[in-house]
């Protein structure tokens, strides 16, 4: 009986010694809170872009894009996707973020699935590209580069057309 009480006392003593250490480790403060907050806003902007595309929300997309001429083609490609596909499901994985002043380059991998109708087999694609954003407090899309999921309807149409030149 005495050994049982001694074991309980040892366990309680060990818990009493370890508890303050564990509690102090869980209260880690951010070293650069402004930078962390900006990264959270950037991540949120990328997720907002993905969500607006998947949910076919033109208004939400418009709020994320700078009114910039090179983005007019991107907007047109997205509208064509909305009209062509009944279901759009895309996932983004951010590889890296490069910040240079107000300019933010987000490199990402993506994979997606598009269906024209419920009975359609659908199209699976994946790729990678870069989203160039601007801003510190308000993050807006300025430019896109690489192989991004937007404009899938045009890609499908071009791939079905076959080769342009034959020898």
């Amino acid at each position: 009986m005495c050994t049982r009480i001694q074991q309980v006392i040892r366990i309680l003593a060990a818990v009493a010694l370890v508890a303050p250490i564990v509690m102090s480790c869980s209260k880690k403060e951010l070293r650069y809170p402004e930078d962390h907050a900006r990264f959270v806003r950037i991540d949120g902007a990328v997720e907002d872009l993905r969500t607006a595309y998947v949910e076919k929300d033109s208004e939400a997309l418009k709020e994320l894009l700078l009114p910039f001429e090179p983005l007019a083609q991107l907007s047109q490609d997205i509208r064509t996707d909305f009209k062509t596909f009944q279901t759009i499901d895309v996932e983004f994985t951010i590889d890296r973020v490069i910040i240079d002043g107000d300019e933010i380059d987000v490199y990402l991998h993506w994979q997606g699935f598009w269906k024209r109708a419920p009975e359609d087999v659908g199209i699976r694609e994946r790729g990678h590209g870069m989203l160039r954003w601007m801003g510190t407090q308000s993050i807006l899309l300025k430019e896109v580069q690489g192989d991004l999921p937007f404009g899938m309807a045009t890609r499908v149409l071009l791939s079905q057309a076959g080769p342009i030149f034959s020898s």
Side-chain angles (χ1 to χ4, degrees):
M1 184 76 159
C2 193
T3 58
R4 178 74 93 192
I5 294 172
Q6 288 174 339
Q7 287 177 336
V8 170
I9 291 173
R10 284 186 196 136
I11 291 172
L12 290 174
V15 168
L17 288 173
V18 174
I21 296 169
V22 171
M23 296 302 285
S24 68
C25 289
S26 66
K27 294 181 181 178
K28 185 176 180 180
E29 291 186 29
L30 295 173
R31 194 174 236 178
Y32 303 101
E34 298 87 18
D35 291 342
H36 175 74
R38 190 170 183 199
F39 274 107
V40 169
R41 285 191 299 277
I42 293 166
D43 184 58
V46 172
E47 179 57 21
D48 290 346
L49 177 65
R50 187 199 71 77
T51 301
Y53 182 65
V54 167
E55 294 178 359
K56 301 182 192 178
D57 188 346
S58 297
E59 289 304 312
L61 275 166
K62 199 181 299 184
E63 291 177 10
L64 291 168
L65 306 180
L66 279 171
F68 197 50
E69 186 61 34
L71 293 178
Q73 183 61 48
L74 173 70
S75 296
Q76 179 60 41
D77 289 344
I78 290 172
R79 283 192 300 274
T80 303
D81 285 354
F82 289 174
K83 291 175 187 172
T84 304
F85 299 107
Q86 185 176 355
T87 304
I88 299 173
D89 185 22
V90 176
E91 296 176 13
F92 289 163
T93 302
I94 296 175
D95 289 331
R96 70 178 180 259
V97 177
I98 299 174
I99 298 175
D100 185 16
D102 282 348
E103 212 164 80
I104 307 152
D105 292 344
V106 177
Y107 294 86
L108 56 86
H109 278 84
W110 61 269
Q111 61 182 6
F113 185 66
W114 292 258
K115 285 180 81 170
R116 294 176 197 230
E119 65 278 354
D120 187 20
V121 176
I123 302 161
R124 287 194 188 281
E125 291 288 332
R126 65 176 180 242
H128 59 275
M130 188 267 298
L131 303 170
R132 177 160 291 148
W133 301 84
M134 291 293 294
T136 53
Q137 295 301 318
S138 179
I139 311 294
L140 298 173
L141 189 62
K142 175 184 175 185
E143 180 183 345
V144 295
Q145 292 180 9
D147 177 28
L148 290 164
F150 316 116
M152 190 56 64
T154 306
R155 283 189 222 182
V156 170
L157 184 64
L158 290 174
S159 69
Q160 291 173 348
I164 297 173
F165 300 104
S166 61
S167 43

